[in-house]
Amino acid sequence: MFLSLCPFDNLVCILLGISFTVWFTLLLVFIIVPAIFGVSFGIRRLYMKTLLKIFEWATLRIERGAKEKNHPLYKPYSNAIIAREPTSLEQEIKEIRRSGSNRDFDSASEFEMSDIFYFARRGVESIMDDEVTKRFSAEELESWNLLTRSNYNFHYISLRLTVLWGLGLLIRYGFLLPLRVTLAFTGVGLLVFLTSVIGLLPNGSLPAGENKPKNGGICVANHTSPIDVIILASDGCYAMVGQIHGGLMGVIQRSMVKACPHIWFERSEVKDRHLVAKRLSDHVEDKSKLPILIFPEGTCINNTSVMMFKKGSFEIGATVYPVAIKYDPRFGDAFWNSSKFGMVNYLLRMMSSWAIVCSVWYLPPMSREEGEDAVQFANRVKAAIARQGGLVDLLWDGGLKRGKVKDTFKEEQQKLYSKMLVGTQEDRSRS
Amino acid sequence: MGSRASTLLREEEIEEIKKETGFSHSQITRLYSRFTSLDKGENGTLSREDFQRIPELAINPLGDRIINAFFPEGEDQVNFRGFMRTLAHFRPIEDNEKNKNYSGDFIAFRLYDLDRDDKISRDELLQVLRMMVGVNISDEQLGSIADRTIQEADTNGDNSISFNEFIKVLEKVDVEQKMSIRFLH
């Protein structure tokens, strides 16, 4: 048996050798070289168009399948379940009282037992649907994009669809994934090599495009995944701010420092806000240093909204260059749910998606105005980014992903309600 | 990716819940994915901590009481059926179902009556008032508010408010309009 394996063995070796060479040549010719020279073959556009057509067809098939079996489709997120009106506490309680009382509402009483309905209703509404918890898990799509991870209706799939899905699986794991993994390894290898070379060269100047962040400025963007960094970095040079990581991330971080100065922190230093602020302001004052890139949300959000910006970077007084990043969720979900998936798992999912498509908008620079404090400035920048990217502008803290909400919000509500009860007493004593 | 919903709701279960609570098919599936997304432990039940993770609920002054209403006496976990049963109290009742169910009133009464002895005592009323106003009103003022409220509502003179007395006070309030939540589809 050993003898009979030998010639087969040889054959396998030869085949492997050939396929490797072919693989690398293709890689070089079609991807790496054009990327270096900025040339595009238009393959990407064709790819995306074809994919979208296939997704539409797949969704139609599922809907047809569901209709045939006479079952409604399982569409958990596509419609909101309740209509919530943005009214104030005072308004709502007054309405409840008005409908129950036959006294004229100028002499409204202090407290009515029906007041409780307001709080009860708001509470149950938030149980059924709230603005915050859904931002920390991936966005749900109308059409199915042939990834099992985003499908709930698989018992309606016909044979043709299953074949297509299987084909997609083959393409994604057999072709796209190895392709991207090879690219990644080559890329990281090149990075480590080239940055050590660049570190030996003298300082270069930065090309200034329209609205592109300039030296001495701070670039802020909404945060969805580590890919944000890659995307922005490929379009301009930045000094990154962040915690020093171990492992693969650490290797990349350390090699980046050799090429241009970045601001990496030890974990213990991050808690010391003054130290952080000092280092940031030192950096922006030095006009020869690159603009700083910061994600003021502090954590990854699922790209449907922009959450509270931490005011630290807005206190320094430098010019802020806002950038809005919006991913197209139809081809693959870029959101990194760090409480659910580790880095390796995340990278695997990224590399086996169809594509990561994103739009980046560079907005005109903003500075803090007279009489505006850091928080107001931060909110102004946040609103601009949300508007451009078509995202929901939320006041909630991204830190709620992991931590509890502060009691001050509850105390605000209690204050408002107390004013209703006690306020009327004061009016009475006056009249 | 959202909730994997690896245990999809079976059609028979959906039908049963539909009959019991009156929710529509799509509302039930929508609420089921909401239930699973809240269920971080992925064991098919919700605990009080799962509810408290909702920031808008955590800042509601009556948040804890509302969460309590979902849990049967002495239990710490609620399954999907129980979840839907409590939510059904907030569904607007169609005209043809108007059978004086007092659903909304009953939940509201439960929010006041902590020890579930079917009476709202002065202490229980004070507790709820204190939750709603925080530290902004003095004990004496709050006490007099509570006294006046009981005086107005108490008809049999036992210094507490029974369910029937509660209903009487709320008779004129258009409860169905104010308590029930505007569901889409």
Side-chain angles (χ1 to χ4, degrees), chain A residues 50-261:
Chain A
T50 332
L51 274 182
L52 279 177
K53 284 227 177 67
I54 298 181
F55 294 161
E56 268 177 46
W57 180 81
T59 320
L60 281 172
R61 291 292 319 203
I62 294 184
E63 283 177 1
R64 225 202 298 168
K67 241 182 246 176
E68 280 164 16
K69 297 196 187 154
N70 214 9
H71 282 153
L73 267 182
Y74 196 81
K75 273 193 180 169
Y77 290 95
S78 50
N79 302 313
I81 185 155
I82 49 180
R84 305 184 69 173
E85 271 148 49
T87 47
S88 73
L89 183 146
E90 221 186 300
Q91 236 180 311
E92 287 251 8
I93 295 191
K94 281 218 176 95
E95 268 210 48
I96 299 177
R97 287 185 181 174
R98 210 176 296 156
S99 75
S101 170
N102 44 11
R103 311 170 237 200
D104 62 68
F105 50 83
D106 266 358
S107 58
S109 60
E110 310 166 306
F111 167 71
E112 296 278 356
M113 295 207 84
S114 56
D115 288 351
I116 207 174
F117 284 131
Y118 169 74
F119 292 108
R121 207 179 89 213
R122 293 301 264 224
V124 176
E125 273 177 357
S126 65
I127 290 178
M128 288 201 267
D129 189 14
D130 79 301
E131 280 300 322
V132 182
T133 51
K134 63 187 181 191
R135 307 294 172 192
F136 301 130
S137 57
E139 193 186 357
E140 296 298 330
L141 302 172
E142 278 281 347
S143 66
W144 186 40
N145 56 3
L146 291 180
L147 303 170
T148 17
R149 44 187 103 135
S150 48
N151 181 278
Y152 302 92
N153 293 310
F154 33 81
H155 29 262
Y156 299 127
I157 297 179
S158 62
L159 181 65
R160 244 182 275 177
L161 211 53
T162 325
V163 168
L164 194 67
W165 173 78
L167 203 68
L169 200 72
L170 217 71
I171 296 182
R172 283 170 33 230
Y173 282 96
F175 175 62
L176 289 177
L177 180 62
L179 173 68
R180 288 165 180 164
V181 170
T182 344
L183 267 178
F185 276 116
T186 332
V188 173
L190 270 178
L191 175 74
V192 176
F193 171 66
L194 287 176
T195 45
S196 15
V197 171
I198 291 181
L200 301 170
L201 300 173
N203 275 335
S205 61
L206 195 66
E210 203 191 294
N211 285 344
K212 282 275 187 71
K214 304 193 172 56
N215 281 8
I218 300 184
C219 175
V220 304
N222 58 315
H223 200 23
T224 307
S225 82
I227 297 183
D228 296 342
V229 178
I230 301 178
I231 291 173
L232 287 178
S234 67
D235 208 21
C237 253
Y238 299 97
M240 315 279 171
V241 180
Q243 286 181 347
I244 301 183
H245 289 86
L248 184 61
M249 278 295 302
V251 170
I252 299 181
Q253 282 180 330
R254 281 194 287 280
S255 50
M256 285 168 86
V257 169
K258 289 196 203 132
C260 18

Side-chain angles (χ1 to χ4, degrees), chain A residues 71-85 92 95-97 99-103 109-134 137-140 148-156 333 335 337 340-341 349 396 400-401 403-407 409-411 413-419 421-422 425, chain B residues 1-5 7-9 11 14 23 25-34 36-38 40 42 49 51-64 66-67 70 83 87 90 104-105 107-108 111-112 120 125 128-137 141-142 144-145 148-149 152-153 161 166 169-170 172-175 177-185:
Chain A
H71 282 153
L73 267 182
Y74 196 81
K75 273 193 180 169
Y77 290 95
S78 50
N79 302 313
I81 185 155
I82 49 180
R84 305 184 69 173
E85 271 148 49
E92 287 251 8
E95 268 210 48
I96 299 177
R97 287 185 181 174
S99 75
S101 170
N102 44 11
R103 311 170 237 200
S109 60
E110 310 166 306
F111 167 71
E112 296 278 356
M113 295 207 84
S114 56
D115 288 351
I116 207 174
F117 284 131
Y118 169 74
F119 292 108
R121 207 179 89 213
R122 293 301 264 224
V124 176
E125 273 177 357
S126 65
I127 290 178
M128 288 201 267
D129 189 14
D130 79 301
E131 280 300 322
V132 182
T133 51
K134 63 187 181 191
S137 57
E139 193 186 357
E140 296 298 330
T148 17
R149 44 187 103 135
S150 48
N151 181 278
Y152 302 92
N153 293 310
F154 33 81
H155 29 262
Y156 299 127
D333 183 27
F335 168 56
N337 192 343
K340 229 179 175 175
F341 306 112
R349 283 156 53 90
W396 294 98
L400 288 172
K401 190 192 214 173
K404 293 218 148 144
V405 63
K406 291 204 211 111
D407 278 332
F409 293 106
K410 191 194 274 201
E411 286 156 18
Q413 290 218 26
Q414 288 170 328
K415 238 200 222 139
L416 273 174
Y417 183 63
S418 315
K419 265 211 208 108
L421 299 194
V422 171
Q425 234 185 19
Chain B
M1 187 169 118
S3 58
R4 194 62 180 91
T7 46
L8 278 181
L9 214 51
E11 278 305 313
I14 298 183
F23 280 113
H25 192 284
S26 50
Q27 287 169 342
I28 295 175
T29 47
R30 174 67 178 81
L31 286 171
Y32 184 67
S33 30
R34 176 67 172 163
T36 42
S37 72
L38 290 174
K40 290 285 188 275
E42 289 185 2
E49 288 80 44
F51 282 101
Q52 277 155 357
R53 232 176 265 119
I54 305 173
E56 287 168 33
L57 187 61
I59 66 171
N60 189 317
L62 294 180
D64 286 332
I66 296 170
I67 294 174
F70 281 85
F83 184 68
L87 287 183
F90 296 86
D105 293 359
I107 285 282
L111 291 177
Y112 283 111
I120 304 176
L125 186 55
V128 176
L129 278 169
R130 182 52 76 192
M131 284 176 95
M132 290 200 279
V133 306
V135 300
N136 298 292
I137 299 187
Q141 244 179 328
L142 221 57
S144 59
I145 292 178
R148 193 189 56 79
T149 313
E152 287 185 357
I161 306 178
F166 187 67
V169 170
L170 296 175
K172 295 183 212 87
V173 175
D174 192 359
V175 176
Q177 281 286 51
K178 297 311 163 192
M179 183 60 147
S180 54
I181 294 171
R182 190 108 52 85
F183 280 92
L184 303 172
H185 62 254

Side-chain angles (χ1 to χ4, degrees), chain A residues 208-364:
Chain A
E210 203 191 294
N211 285 344
K212 282 275 187 71
K214 304 193 172 56
N215 281 8
I218 300 184
C219 175
V220 304
N222 58 315
H223 200 23
T224 307
S225 82
I227 297 183
D228 296 342
V229 178
I230 301 178
I231 291 173
L232 287 178
S234 67
D235 208 21
C237 253
Y238 299 97
M240 315 279 171
V241 180
Q243 286 181 347
I244 301 183
H245 289 86
L248 184 61
M249 278 295 302
V251 170
I252 299 181
Q253 282 180 330
R254 281 194 287 280
S255 50
M256 285 168 86
V257 169
K258 289 196 203 132
C260 18
H262 297 281
I263 307 178
W264 299 125
F265 293 100
E266 296 286 348
R267 263 169 217 280
S268 50
E269 283 176 22
V270 174
K271 297 222 173 92
D272 187 348
R273 283 191 48 224
H274 294 294
L275 187 67
V276 173
K278 176 106 190 16
R279 282 179 73 175
L280 288 178
S281 42
D282 283 344
H283 185 108
V284 299
E285 268 158 24
D286 182 352
K287 291 298 174 193
S288 70
K289 298 229 175 105
L290 298 167
I292 299 181
L293 176 60
I294 284 188
F295 296 102
E297 282 165 312
T299 185
C300 293
I301 312 291
N302 78 346
N303 209 232
T304 56
S305 66
V306 184
M307 298 189 100
M308 187 180 92
F309 276 4
K310 298 201 182 338
K311 62 178 179 186
S313 20
F314 298 92
E315 284 174 324
I316 301 176
T319 328
V320 170
Y321 297 85
V323 178
I325 306 178
K326 178 84 175 100
Y327 291 89
D328 189 336
R330 291 176 296 181
F331 296 99
D333 183 27
F335 168 56
W336 182 25
N337 192 343
S338 49
S339 39
K340 229 179 175 175
F341 306 112
M343 178 56 126
V344 179
N345 196 328
Y346 171 69
L347 281 176
L348 214 67
R349 283 156 53 90
M350 283 304 97
M351 297 210 192
S352 62
S353 320
W354 291 114
I356 303 292
V357 181
C358 85
S359 320
V360 180
W361 291 277
Y362 291 94
L363 300 173

